[in-house]
Amino acid sequence: MTINTIEGDFSANQGRYAIVVTRWNSFVVDHLQSGAIDALKRHGISDEQITVIKVPGAYELPLVCQRLADTGQYDALIALGAVIRGGTPHFEYVAGEAAGGLNSVALTFDIPVVFGVLTVDSIEQAIERSGTKAGNKGAESALVAIEMVNLLTQIGTGEAAE
Ligand SMILES: Nc1c(NC[C@H](O)[C@H](O)[C@H](O)CO)[nH]c(=O)[nH]c1=O
Ligand SMILES: CC(=O)[C@@H](O)COP(=O)(O)O
């Protein structure tokens, strides 16, 4: 007996991708954005399939992603930002609300919302994760988006099984 396996792949360059990018900490987030775009295009996604939206900070990501998801015009959202801990508990609130809000959008609108928001303790950690020795979380997020679009396409809506 062969076990049925369903998994996303990178063979199909389908889908419409919105990359939602914060202006906060642009010195690293801009590198996340370029990494994400490069990864999408290296996997066959065309310029016409990509839309970039700029928001003030990570706290604004969920609302804008909610509005984008509600349009029905995108197959995946990639949320990119960098929340860098300072001297007060503000980090916890910004990072926590961004993560929770983005997950809520994904579940509410049945759309992949990839969490590409760095949550780090220092600028050095942010730099390491935006294209230097710890990779580029923007590029990684783009690959997650492609895989999820293909996976969910394969799973379907379940209507056909009824
Ligand atoms: N400190 C960081 C912020 N703070 C700003 C908030 O995201 C938000 O724009 C403001 O509270 C107004 O609603 N944002 C980041 O993305 N990264 C930070 O390190
Ligand atoms: C993540 C933040 O909001 C943080 O950068 C703010 O810094 P501080 O906690 O020193 O006000």
Side-chain angles (χ1 to χ4, degrees), residues 11-103:
S11 59
N13 55 2
Q14 62 190 338
R16 301 155 298 172
Y17 298 82
I19 306 175
V20 190
V21 187
T22 68
R23 298 187 191 282
W24 256 84
N25 295 320
S26 59
F27 73 103
V28 294
V29 182
D30 287 354
H31 292 287
L32 300 180
Q33 176 184 329
S34 57
I37 292 171
D38 180 64
L40 289 175
K41 296 177 74 171
R42 287 160 68 93
H43 288 81
I45 305 300
S46 67
D47 289 354
E48 293 71 29
Q49 293 172 266
I50 302 170
T51 303
V52 174
I53 303 96
K54 294 277 190 172
V55 302
Y59 190 81
E60 282 72 40
L61 287 168
L63 175 58
V64 173
C65 285
Q66 177 178 271
R67 186 66 63 86
L68 291 167
D70 194 36
T71 67
Q73 295 178 12
Y74 302 97
D75 299 292
L77 308 180
I78 302 167
L80 302 178
V83 185
I84 303 176
R85 191 182 299 275
T88 73
H90 198 238
F91 168 92
E92 310 297 342
Y93 296 97
V94 172
E97 291 303 317
L102 291 171
N103 191 46

Side-chain angles (χ1 to χ4, degrees), residues 100-161:
L102 291 171
N103 191 46
S104 176
V105 171
L107 297 175
T108 301
F109 289 91
D110 192 34
I111 181 176
V113 180
V114 182
F115 187 68
V117 180
L118 302 180
T119 54
V120 293
D121 291 322
S122 67
I123 291 175
E124 292 74 20
Q125 286 182 347
I127 293 171
E128 289 171 353
R129 289 155 179 78
S130 55
T132 61
K133 68 179 184 179
N136 186 308
K137 297 304 180 186
E140 293 174 22
S141 297
L143 297 184
V144 170
I146 295 171
E147 182 173 352
M148 286 299 289
V149 167
N150 290 325
L151 174 61
L152 296 181
T153 300
Q154 288 183 61
I155 294 172
T157 61
E159 292 172 359

